[in-house]
Amino acid sequence: MPPNTGVEVVRAARDAELTRQRILDAAIDAFAEHGFDGASTRVIAGKAGVDPRLIGRYFGSKEGLFEHVVQTTFEHPLMMVPGHNREMARSLLNDPPEGQSKALLLTIRSAGSVRAVEIMQRHIESHYQRDLADRLPSGKVDAFARAALLIAVCSGVQMQRNVLGNKGLEGKAPAALVDRLAAVLDLLGS
């Protein structure tokens, strides 16, 4: 049997990464729809079109997969730093709701699982909240607590707009509303 060529090795690595990504995408949808306890690895594998054993191969376990899902869906490229919150406010009020709502639905539907809550809390506090706190100016109130409050306010806006469909937040937000939310975020962060 001839040895693997470089092309075959690259193709196998690419196929493995595509399979891993299909599992991750299917898991995001499944956890958002059914929560941690309700989404089985068999259902996730079926949505991904793969053998359920591949979840263990790529992620170790359902819990390991959930950790990767949390890491992916709780990514926050925008930082709520005073003086720079207009873009965050605009995003919260105007971006398509699908991406924002998946993280919220995953949170809501997984909140009944003690282990899922531990994973989400650990990830938010040690990554996003810590990164945000490190970028906030020093103040009378602890930066880590201010970061938690900023995240809570943004989660509340997302909940009202993208999950509950609050009529006051539907459609393209007027500039004045974006400016008010930006001012609130600036105040909380300072």
Side-chain angles (χ1 to χ4, degrees), residues 96-168:
E98 170 127 345
Q100 293 179 2
S101 64
K102 280 192 182 180
L104 274 173
L105 290 172
L106 175 144
T107 302
I108 293 164
R109 293 182 175 146
S110 299
S113 167
V114 172
R115 185 62 188 130
V117 168
E118 289 170 353
I119 291 168
M120 292 183 290
Q121 179 184 18
R122 182 181 70 240
H123 179 78
I124 289 170
E125 289 180 0
S126 66
H127 292 92
Y128 185 50
Q129 188 174 339
R130 174 54 45 212
D131 292 345
L132 178 56
D134 290 345
R135 291 186 173 116
L136 293 176
S138 59
K140 291 181 182 177
V141 178
D142 176 64
F144 195 68
R146 285 182 285 143
L149 189 56
L150 283 163
I151 292 168
V153 167
C154 291
S155 297
V157 170
Q158 289 177 332
M159 170 75 84
Q160 288 296 316
R161 179 176 176 257
N162 302 327
V163 176
L164 299 177
N166 186 304
K167 300 286 186 223

Coordinates of all heavy atoms in Angstrom, one line a residue, residues 96-168:
P96 N -29.7 41.4 13.1 CA -30.7 40.3 13.0 C -30.7 39.5 14.3 O -29.6 39.2 14.9 CB -30.1 39.4 11.9 CG -29.2 40.4 11.1 CD -28.7 41.3 12.1
P97 N -31.8 39.1 14.8 CA -32.0 38.4 16.1 C -31.5 37.0 16.2 O -31.2 36.5 17.2 CB -33.5 38.5 16.4 CG -34.1 38.6 15.1 CD -33.2 39.3 14.2
E98 N -31.3 36.3 15.0 CA -31.0 34.9 15.1 C -29.8 34.5 15.9 O -29.8 33.7 16.8 CB -30.8 34.3 13.7 CG -30.3 32.9 13.7 CD -31.1 31.9 13.0 OE1 -32.2 32.2 12.6 OE2 -30.6 30.8 12.7
G99 N -28.7 35.2 15.6 CA -27.4 34.9 16.4 C -27.5 35.2 17.8 O -27.1 34.5 18.7
Q100 N -28.1 36.4 18.1 CA -28.3 36.8 19.5 C -29.2 35.9 20.3 O -29.0 35.6 21.4 CB -28.8 38.2 19.6 CG -27.8 39.3 19.0 CD -28.4 40.7 19.1 OE1 -29.5 40.9 19.6 NE2 -27.6 41.6 18.6
S101 N -30.3 35.4 19.6 CA -31.3 34.7 20.4 C -30.9 33.2 20.6 O -31.3 32.6 21.6 CB -32.6 34.7 19.6 OG -32.5 34.1 18.4
K102 N -30.0 32.7 19.8 CA -29.5 31.3 20.1 C -28.8 31.2 21.4 O -29.1 30.3 22.2 CB -28.6 30.8 19.0 CG -29.4 30.3 17.8 CD -28.6 29.6 16.8 CE -29.4 29.2 15.6 NZ -28.7 28.5 14.6
A103 N -28.0 32.1 21.7 CA -27.3 32.1 23.0 C -28.2 32.2 24.2 O -28.1 31.6 25.2 CB -26.2 33.2 23.1
L104 N -29.2 33.1 24.0 CA -30.2 33.3 25.0 C -31.1 32.1 25.2 O -31.4 31.7 26.3 CB -31.1 34.5 24.7 CG -30.5 35.9 25.2 CD1 -31.4 37.0 24.7 CD2 -30.4 35.9 26.7
L105 N -31.5 31.5 24.1 CA -32.4 30.3 24.2 C -31.6 29.2 24.8 O -32.1 28.4 25.6 CB -32.9 30.0 22.8 CG -34.0 30.9 22.3 CD1 -34.3 30.6 20.8 CD2 -35.2 31.0 23.1
L106 N -30.4 29.0 24.4 CA -29.5 28.0 25.0 C -29.4 28.2 26.5 O -29.6 27.2 27.3 CB -28.1 28.1 24.4 CG -27.0 27.2 24.9 CD1 -26.2 26.7 23.8 CD2 -26.2 27.8 26.0
T107 N -29.3 29.4 27.0 CA -29.2 29.7 28.4 C -30.5 29.4 29.1 O -30.5 28.8 30.1 CB -28.8 31.2 28.6 OG1 -27.6 31.5 27.9 CG2 -28.7 31.6 30.0
I108 N -31.6 29.9 28.5 CA -32.9 29.7 29.2 C -33.2 28.3 29.3 O -33.7 27.8 30.3 CB -34.0 30.5 28.4 CG1 -33.8 32.0 28.5 CG2 -35.4 30.1 28.8 CD1 -34.6 32.8 27.4
R109 N -33.0 27.5 28.2 CA -33.5 26.1 28.1 C -32.5 25.2 28.8 O -32.8 24.0 29.1 CB -33.7 25.7 26.7 CG -34.9 26.5 26.1 CD -35.2 26.2 24.7 NE -36.4 26.9 24.3 CZ -36.7 27.3 23.1 NH1 -35.8 27.1 22.1 NH2 -37.8 27.9 22.8
S110 N -31.3 25.7 29.2 CA -30.4 24.9 29.9 C -30.3 25.2 31.4 O -29.5 24.6 32.1 CB -29.0 25.0 29.3 OG -29.0 24.5 27.9
A111 N -31.0 26.3 31.8 CA -30.9 26.8 33.2 C -31.4 25.8 34.2 O -31.0 25.9 35.4 CB -31.7 28.1 33.3
G112 N -32.1 24.8 33.8 CA -32.5 23.7 34.8 C -31.5 22.7 35.1 O -31.6 21.9 36.1
S113 N -30.4 22.7 34.4 CA -29.3 21.8 34.6 C -28.2 22.5 35.4 O -27.6 23.4 35.0 CB -28.7 21.3 33.3 OG -27.5 20.7 33.5
V114 N -27.9 21.9 36.6 CA -26.9 22.5 37.5 C -25.5 22.5 36.7 O -24.8 23.5 36.8 CB -26.8 21.7 38.8 CG1 -25.6 22.2 39.6 CG2 -28.1 21.8 39.6
R115 N -25.2 21.4 36.1 CA -23.9 21.4 35.4 C -23.8 22.4 34.2 O -22.8 23.0 34.0 CB -23.7 19.9 34.9 CG -22.3 19.8 34.3 CD -21.2 20.0 35.3 NE -19.9 20.0 34.7 CZ -19.0 21.0 34.8 NH1 -19.2 22.0 35.7 NH2 -17.9 20.9 34.2
A116 N -24.9 22.5 33.5 CA -24.9 23.5 32.4 C -24.7 24.9 32.9 O -24.0 25.7 32.3 CB -26.2 23.4 31.5
V117 N -25.4 25.2 34.0 CA -25.3 26.6 34.6 C -23.9 26.8 35.0 O -23.3 27.9 34.8 CB -26.3 26.7 35.7 CG1 -26.0 28.0 36.5 CG2 -27.7 26.8 35.2
E118 N -23.2 25.8 35.6 CA -21.8 25.9 36.1 C -20.9 26.2 34.9 O -20.0 27.1 35.0 CB -21.4 24.7 36.8 CG -22.0 24.4 38.1 CD -21.7 23.0 38.7 OE1 -21.1 22.2 38.0 OE2 -22.0 22.8 39.9
I119 N -21.1 25.5 33.8 CA -20.3 25.7 32.6 C -20.5 27.1 32.0 O -19.6 27.8 31.7 CB -20.7 24.7 31.5 CG1 -20.2 23.3 32.0 CG2 -20.0 25.0 30.1 CD1 -20.7 22.1 31.1
M120 N -21.8 27.6 31.9 CA -22.1 28.9 31.4 C -21.5 30.0 32.3 O -20.9 30.9 31.8 CB -23.6 29.1 31.1 CG -24.1 28.2 30.0 SD -25.9 28.4 29.7 CE -26.7 27.7 31.1
Q121 N -21.7 29.9 33.6 CA -21.3 30.8 34.5 C -19.7 30.9 34.5 O -19.2 32.0 34.4 CB -21.7 30.5 35.9 CG -21.3 31.5 37.0 CD -21.7 31.1 38.4 OE1 -22.0 29.9 38.6 NE2 -21.6 32.0 39.3
R122 N -19.1 29.8 34.5 CA -17.6 29.8 34.5 C -17.1 30.5 33.2 O -16.2 31.3 33.3 CB -17.1 28.4 34.6 CG -15.5 28.3 34.7 CD -15.0 26.9 34.8 NE -15.2 26.2 33.5 CZ -16.0 25.1 33.3 NH1 -16.5 24.5 34.4 NH2 -16.1 24.6 32.2
H123 N -17.7 30.1 32.1 CA -17.2 30.7 30.9 C -17.4 32.2 30.8 O -16.5 33.0 30.5 CB -17.9 30.1 29.7 CG -17.4 30.7 28.4 ND1 -16.2 30.3 27.8 CD2 -18.0 31.6 27.6 CE1 -16.1 31.0 26.7 NE2 -17.1 31.8 26.5
I124 N -18.6 32.7 31.2 CA -18.9 34.1 31.1 C -18.0 34.9 32.1 O -17.4 35.9 31.7 CB -20.4 34.4 31.5 CG1 -21.3 33.9 30.3 CG2 -20.6 35.9 31.7 CD1 -22.8 33.9 30.6
E125 N -17.9 34.4 33.3 CA -17.1 35.1 34.3 C -15.6 35.1 34.0 O -14.9 36.1 34.2 CB -17.3 34.6 35.7 CG -18.7 34.9 36.2 CD -19.0 34.4 37.6 OE1 -18.1 33.7 38.2 OE2 -20.1 34.6 38.1
S126 N -15.1 34.0 33.5 CA -13.6 33.9 33.3 C -13.2 34.4 32.0 O -12.0 34.6 31.8 CB -13.2 32.5 33.5 OG -13.7 31.6 32.5
H127 N -14.1 34.6 31.0 CA -13.7 35.0 29.7 C -14.3 36.4 29.5 O -13.6 37.4 29.6 CB -14.1 34.1 28.6 CG -13.4 32.8 28.7 ND1 -13.8 31.7 29.4 CD2 -12.2 32.4 28.2 CE1 -13.0 30.7 29.3 NE2 -12.0 31.1 28.6
Y128 N -15.5 36.5 29.0 CA -16.1 37.8 28.6 C -16.1 38.8 29.7 O -15.7 39.9 29.6 CB -17.5 37.5 28.0 CG -18.1 38.8 27.4 CD1 -17.4 39.6 26.5 CD2 -19.4 39.2 27.8 CE1 -17.9 40.7 26.0 CE2 -19.9 40.3 27.3 CZ -19.2 41.1 26.4 OH -19.8 42.2 25.9
Q129 N -16.6 38.4 30.9 CA -16.8 39.4 32.0 C -15.4 39.8 32.4 O -15.2 41.0 32.7 CB -17.5 38.8 33.1 CG -17.9 39.7 34.2 CD -18.8 39.1 35.3 OE1 -19.5 38.1 35.0 NE2 -18.8 39.6 36.5
R130 N -14.4 38.9 32.5 CA -13.1 39.3 33.0 C -12.4 40.2 31.9 O -11.8 41.2 32.3 CB -12.2 38.0 33.2 CG -10.8 38.2 33.5 CD -10.4 39.1 34.6 NE -11.1 38.9 35.8 CZ -11.5 39.9 36.7 NH1 -11.1 41.1 36.5 NH2 -12.2 39.6 37.8
D131 N -12.6 39.9 30.6 CA -12.0 40.7 29.5 C -12.6 42.1 29.6 O -11.9 43.1 29.4 CB -12.2 40.1 28.2 CG -11.5 38.8 27.9 OD1 -10.5 38.5 28.7 OD2 -11.8 38.1 27.0
L132 N -13.9 42.2 29.8 CA -14.6 43.5 29.8 C -14.1 44.2 31.0 O -13.8 45.4 31.0 CB -16.1 43.3 29.8 CG -17.0 44.5 30.0 CD1 -16.6 45.5 28.9 CD2 -18.4 44.1 30.0
A133 N -14.1 43.6 32.2 CA -13.6 44.3 33.4 C -12.2 44.8 33.3 O -11.9 46.0 33.8 CB -13.7 43.3 34.6
D134 N -11.4 44.1 32.6 CA -10.0 44.6 32.4 C -9.9 45.8 31.5 O -8.9 46.6 31.6 CB -9.1 43.5 31.8 CG -8.9 42.3 32.8 OD1 -9.1 42.5 34.0 OD2 -8.4 41.2 32.3
R135 N -10.9 46.1 30.7 CA -10.9 47.2 29.8 C -11.7 48.4 30.4 O -11.6 49.5 29.8 CB -11.5 46.8 28.5 CG -10.6 45.9 27.8 CD -11.1 45.6 26.4 NE -10.1 44.8 25.6 CZ -10.2 43.6 25.2 NH1 -11.4 43.0 25.4 NH2 -9.3 43.0 24.5
L136 N -12.4 48.2 31.5 CA -13.2 49.3 32.0 C -12.3 50.2 32.9 O -11.3 49.7 33.5 CB -14.3 48.8 32.9 CG -15.4 48.0 32.2 CD1 -16.4 47.5 33.3 CD2 -16.1 48.9 31.2
P137 N -12.6 51.5 32.9 CA -11.8 52.4 33.7 C -12.0 52.1 35.2 O -13.0 51.5 35.6 CB -12.3 53.8 33.4 CG -13.7 53.6 32.9 CD -13.7 52.2 32.2
S138 N -11.0 52.4 36.0 CA -11.1 52.2 37.5 C -12.2 53.2 38.0 O -12.4 54.2 37.4 CB -9.8 52.4 38.2 OG -9.4 53.7 38.0
G139 N -12.9 52.7 39.0 CA -14.0 53.5 39.5 C -14.3 53.2 40.9 O -13.6 52.3 41.5
K140 N -15.3 53.8 41.5 CA -15.7 53.5 42.9 C -16.3 52.1 43.0 O -16.2 51.5 44.1 CB -16.7 54.5 43.3 CG -16.1 55.9 43.5 CD -17.2 56.9 44.0 CE -16.5 58.3 44.1 NZ -17.5 59.3 44.5
V141 N -17.0 51.6 42.0 CA -17.6 50.3 42.0 C -16.6 49.3 41.2 O -16.1 49.7 40.2 CB -19.0 50.3 41.3 CG1 -19.5 48.9 41.3 CG2 -19.9 51.3 42.0
D142 N -16.4 48.2 41.8 CA -15.5 47.2 41.2 C -15.8 46.9 39.8 O -17.0 46.8 39.4 CB -15.7 45.9 42.0 CG -14.9 44.7 41.5 OD1 -13.7 44.8 41.5 OD2 -15.5 43.7 41.0
A143 N -14.8 46.9 38.9 CA -14.9 46.7 37.5 C -15.6 45.4 37.1 O -16.4 45.3 36.2 CB -13.6 46.8 36.8
F144 N -15.3 44.3 37.9 CA -15.9 43.0 37.6 C -17.4 43.1 37.8 O -18.2 42.5 37.1 CB -15.2 42.0 38.5 CG -15.5 40.5 38.1 CD1 -15.0 40.0 36.9 CD2 -16.3 39.7 38.9 CE1 -15.2 38.7 36.5 CE2 -16.5 38.4 38.5 CZ -15.9 37.9 37.3
A145 N -17.8 43.8 38.9 CA -19.3 43.9 39.1 C -19.9 44.8 38.1 O -21.0 44.5 37.6 CB -19.5 44.5 40.5
R146 N -19.3 45.9 37.6 CA -19.8 46.7 36.6 C -19.9 45.9 35.3 O -20.9 46.1 34.5 CB -18.9 48.0 36.3 CG -19.1 49.0 37.4 CD -18.3 50.2 37.2 NE -16.9 50.0 37.5 CZ -15.9 50.4 36.8 NH1 -16.0 51.2 35.8 NH2 -14.6 50.1 37.1
A147 N -18.9 45.1 35.0 CA -19.0 44.2 33.8 C -20.2 43.3 33.9 O -20.9 43.1 32.9 CB -17.7 43.4 33.6
A148 N -20.4 42.7 35.0 CA -21.6 41.8 35.2 C -22.9 42.6 34.9 O -23.8 42.0 34.3 CB -21.6 41.2 36.6
L149 N -23.0 43.8 35.4 CA -24.2 44.6 35.2 C -24.3 45.0 33.7 O -25.5 44.9 33.2 CB -24.1 45.9 36.1 CG -25.3 46.7 36.1 CD1 -26.5 45.9 36.6 CD2 -25.1 47.9 37.1
L150 N -23.3 45.3 33.1 CA -23.3 45.6 31.6 C -23.8 44.4 30.8 O -24.7 44.5 30.0 CB -22.0 46.0 31.1 CG -21.6 47.5 31.4 CD1 -20.1 47.7 31.2 CD2 -22.4 48.4 30.6
I151 N -23.3 43.2 31.2 CA -23.7 42.0 30.5 C -25.2 41.7 30.8 O -26.0 41.3 29.9 CB -22.8 40.8 30.9 CG1 -21.4 41.0 30.4 CG2 -23.4 39.5 30.5 CD1 -20.4 40.0 31.0
A152 N -25.6 41.9 32.0 CA -27.0 41.7 32.4 C -28.0 42.6 31.6 O -29.0 42.2 31.1 CB -27.2 41.9 33.9
V153 N -27.6 43.9 31.5 CA -28.4 44.8 30.7 C -28.5 44.4 29.3 O -29.6 44.4 28.7 CB -27.9 46.3 30.9 CG1 -28.6 47.2 29.9 CG2 -28.1 46.8 32.3
C154 N -27.4 44.1 28.7 CA -27.4 43.7 27.3 C -28.2 42.4 27.1 O -29.0 42.2 26.1 CB -26.0 43.5 26.8 SG -25.1 45.1 26.6
S155 N -28.1 41.5 28.0 CA -28.9 40.2 27.9 C -30.4 40.5 28.0 O -31.2 39.9 27.3 CB -28.5 39.3 29.1 OG -27.2 38.9 28.9
G156 N -30.7 41.5 28.9 CA -32.1 41.9 29.0 C -32.7 42.5 27.7 O -33.8 42.2 27.3
V157 N -31.9 43.3 27.1 CA -32.3 43.9 25.8 C -32.5 42.8 24.8 O -33.5 42.8 24.1 CB -31.3 45.0 25.3 CG1 -31.6 45.4 23.9 CG2 -31.3 46.2 26.3
Q158 N -31.6 41.9 24.7 CA -31.7 40.8 23.8 C -32.9 39.9 24.1 O -33.6 39.5 23.2 CB -30.4 39.9 23.8 CG -29.2 40.6 23.2 CD -28.0 39.7 23.3 OE1 -27.9 38.9 24.3 NE2 -27.1 39.9 22.4
M159 N -33.2 39.7 25.3 CA -34.3 38.9 25.7 C -35.6 39.6 25.3 O -36.5 38.9 24.6 CB -34.4 38.7 27.3 CG -35.6 38.1 27.8 SD -35.7 36.3 27.4 CE -34.8 35.8 28.8
Q160 N -35.8 40.8 25.6 CA -37.0 41.6 25.2 C -37.1 41.7 23.7 O -38.2 41.5 23.2 CB -37.0 43.0 25.8 CG -37.2 43.0 27.3 CD -38.5 42.5 27.7 OE1 -39.5 42.8 27.1 NE2 -38.6 41.6 28.7
R161 N -36.1 41.9 23.0 CA -36.2 42.2 21.6 C -36.2 40.9 20.8 O -37.1 40.7 19.9 CB -34.9 43.0 21.1 CG -34.9 43.2 19.6 CD -33.7 44.1 19.2 NE -33.7 44.3 17.8 CZ -32.9 43.6 17.0 NH1 -32.0 42.8 17.5 NH2 -32.9 43.8 15.7
N162 N -35.3 39.9 21.1 CA -35.1 38.8 20.2 C -35.9 37.5 20.6 O -36.1 36.6 19.8 CB -33.7 38.5 20.0 CG -32.9 39.7 19.5 OD1 -33.4 40.4 18.7 ND2 -31.7 39.9 19.9
V163 N -36.2 37.4 21.9 CA -36.9 36.2 22.4 C -38.3 36.5 22.6 O -39.2 35.8 22.1 CB -36.2 35.6 23.6 CG1 -37.0 34.4 24.2 CG2 -34.7 35.2 23.4
L164 N -38.6 37.6 23.3 CA -40.0 37.9 23.6 C -40.7 38.7 22.6 O -41.9 38.9 22.5 CB -40.1 38.6 25.0 CG -39.6 37.8 26.2 CD1 -39.7 38.6 27.5 CD2 -40.4 36.5 26.3
G165 N -39.9 39.3 21.7 CA -40.5 40.1 20.6 C -41.2 41.4 21.0 O -42.2 41.8 20.5
N166 N -40.6 42.1 22.0 CA -41.2 43.3 22.5 C -41.5 44.3 21.4 O -40.6 44.7 20.7 CB -40.3 43.9 23.6 CG -40.9 45.1 24.3 OD1 -41.3 46.1 23.7 ND2 -41.0 45.0 25.6
K167 N -42.7 44.7 21.3 CA -43.1 45.6 20.1 C -42.4 47.0 20.2 O -42.2 47.6 19.1 CB -44.6 45.9 20.2 CG -45.5 44.6 20.1 CD -45.5 44.1 18.7 CE -46.5 43.0 18.6 NZ -46.0 41.8 17.8
G168 N -42.0 47.4 21.3 CA -41.3 48.7 21.4 C -39.8 48.6 20.9 O -39.2 49.6 20.7

